[in-house]
Amino acid sequence: MRRLATPAGVLAVVVGAFGYVGAVDPNQPGHYPLCPLLRFTGLYCPGCGGLRSAHAVAHGDIAAALGSNALAVVGYGVFAVLWAVWAVRAWRGRPMSIAAKPAVWWGIGAVLLIFSVVRNLPIGSALAP
C-alpha cells in the first residue's frame, strides 16, 4: 500500500481541485482571476474556459465541458489514463517515467498553438469558450 501513496496523494489533490471548482462556479464573476491574455488582448489562450470546463465535468455535463474548452477535456482524459498506468505500475513495484522524445513535446506545443489560433478565428468560433 505504501507504493500507492504518491499516486493516491496526487489523485486526492486533483479530486480536491475539481471539488473546489465544482463548488465555486467560475461562471459567476469575482471568484477567479481573469486570463491576462484575454484581458489585455481579447484573444483566447489554450487554457481559456478551462475552469468552466472543469466545473462542467465536476457536474457531469460533458457537452458543456467540451463547449468551454475541448482541449482541456482531452487533457482530463489523458491525465486519467496516465494516472491509471502510474497506479498499476506503482502497485506492481515498477517505476513510472515518461520519457517523450523532443518531437512529442514539439507536437504538443504545435497542437496548443493551432488550437489557440483556430479558436480565435471566425471559422473556429465553436472552440471559443
Side-chain angles (χ1 to χ4, degrees):
M1 291 308 255
R2 278 182 60 190
R3 291 183 262 186
L4 291 176
T6 304
V10 168
L11 183 62
V13 169
V14 170
V15 167
F18 267 81
Y20 179 80
V21 173
V24 181
D25 190 355
N27 295 302
Q28 301 299 321
H31 294 292
Y32 299 98
L34 295 174
C35 171
L37 184 67
L38 180 61
R39 182 176 181 183
F40 294 119
T41 68
L43 298 173
Y44 297 117
C45 76
C48 281
L51 285 174
R52 290 186 293 275
S53 175
H55 180 78
V57 168
H59 288 273
D61 191 353
I62 302 302
L66 286 167
S68 293
N69 190 324
L71 196 58
V73 176
V74 171
Y76 307 149
V78 169
F79 171 80
V81 169
L82 288 175
W83 183 87
V85 169
W86 183 23
V88 168
R89 291 182 67 84
W91 178 260
R92 293 180 178 168
R94 297 183 189 160
M96 177 69 172
S97 68
I98 299 175
K101 295 182 179 184
V104 171
W105 296 112
W106 282 102
I108 291 170
V111 167
L112 291 171
L113 180 64
I114 291 167
F115 180 72
S116 297
V117 169
V118 170
R119 76 188 316 207
N120 283 291
L121 295 174
I123 194 168
S125 63
L127 295 174

